[in-house]
């Protein structure tokens, strides 16, 4: 293990939790992908009789597909975050690739928010068709604010990298 991470247990714990999260998100994505294939290939009557009423099955297929996209975006977000934390552990976080990672994370966050905006009405339609299910999505502006913060942080990292390079050039 490297010297900075050995001295800072928070980095080691964070990296462990991120790796655990990556594994769990990947597992969930695989399960959702199998569910999507099952929804498409298994005849209506065998799967759930209630899904065959009024085309509800295809609303569920759409919701599961959007969920798979959402999990994929979360996976890439977490991978990028893990790589940034790794560079903090080496003692050199102000690198051009971290600015690029923060930009990607901002775009992934916007994509996730877009998926949630699509998923919310899908869940509402499904809930209205299956009486026992209650669909409720609480959409907020948190994700959009987070994307803005990530875009700004990317610029801060680019500026910090340029300042460090200028300083190294003058010494």
């Amino acid at each position: 293990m490297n010297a900075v991470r050995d001295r800072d247990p928070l980095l080691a714990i964070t990296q462990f939790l991120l790796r655990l999260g990556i594994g769990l998100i990947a597992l969930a994505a695989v399960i959702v992908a199998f569910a999507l294939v099952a929804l498409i290939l298994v005849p209506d009557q065998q799967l759930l009789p209630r899904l065959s009423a009024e085309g509800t099955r295809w609303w569920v297929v759409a919701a599961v597909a959007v969920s798979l996209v959402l999990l994929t975006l979360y996976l890439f977000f977490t991978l990028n975050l893990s790589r940034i934390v790794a560079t903090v552990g080496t003692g050199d976080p102000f690198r051009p690739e971290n600015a690029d990672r923060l930009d990607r994370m901002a775009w992934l966050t916007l994509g996730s928010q877009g998926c949630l905006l699509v998923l919310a009405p899908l869940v509402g339609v499904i809930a209205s068709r299956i009486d026992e299910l209650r669909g409720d999505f609480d959409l907020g502006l948190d994700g959009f604010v987070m994307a803005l913060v990530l875009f700004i942080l990317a610029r801060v990292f680019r500026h910090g990298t340029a300042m460090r390079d200028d300083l190294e050039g003058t010494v």
Side-chain angles (χ1 to χ4, degrees):
M1 199 165 241
N2 83 40
V4 174
R5 196 176 300 141
D6 288 341
R7 288 190 311 257
D8 190 350
L10 179 62
L11 287 177
I13 291 168
T14 301
Q15 198 63 282
F16 170 77
L17 291 174
L18 286 170
R19 288 181 180 147
L20 180 64
I22 289 166
L24 291 173
I25 293 168
L27 177 63
V30 168
I31 291 169
V32 169
F34 278 120
L36 182 62
V37 170
L39 281 166
I40 293 171
L41 296 181
V42 176
D44 293 350
Q45 307 309 336
Q46 291 177 3
L47 189 60
L48 281 175
R50 283 187 288 168
L51 291 184
S52 61
E54 301 176 30
T56 303
R57 174 177 173 231
W58 296 110
W59 290 103
V60 173
V61 167
V64 171
V66 172
S67 298
L68 182 59
V69 171
L70 187 61
L71 285 168
T72 303
L73 294 173
Y74 288 163
L75 179 64
F76 284 114
F77 181 95
T78 310
L79 284 168
N80 279 288
L81 182 58
S82 178
R83 290 177 184 139
I84 290 173
V85 171
T87 63
V88 173
T90 64
D92 187 21
F94 286 102
R95 302 162 101 175
E97 58 267 20
N98 279 348
D100 295 339
R101 288 178 182 131
L102 285 165
D103 261 340
R104 277 193 299 275
M105 289 167 64
W107 286 111
L108 290 165
T109 300
L110 287 176
S112 298
Q113 289 301 297
C115 285
L116 290 173
L117 289 173
V118 171
L119 194 56
L122 288 174
V123 169
V125 168
I126 294 166
S128 70
R129 290 168 178 255
I130 300 175
D131 296 332
E132 295 162 19
L133 181 66
R134 297 290 175 248
D136 187 25
F137 253 85
D138 185 23
L139 295 175
L141 296 177
D142 300 356
F144 294 109
V145 172
M146 183 175 171
L148 289 174
V149 168
L150 288 168
F151 280 126
I152 297 300
L153 278 176
R155 278 143 187 81
V156 168
F157 268 66
R158 280 195 184 87
H159 188 65
T161 301
M163 287 174 59
R164 186 192 62 195
D165 291 345
D166 286 346
L167 182 62
E168 287 175 0
T170 60
V171 173

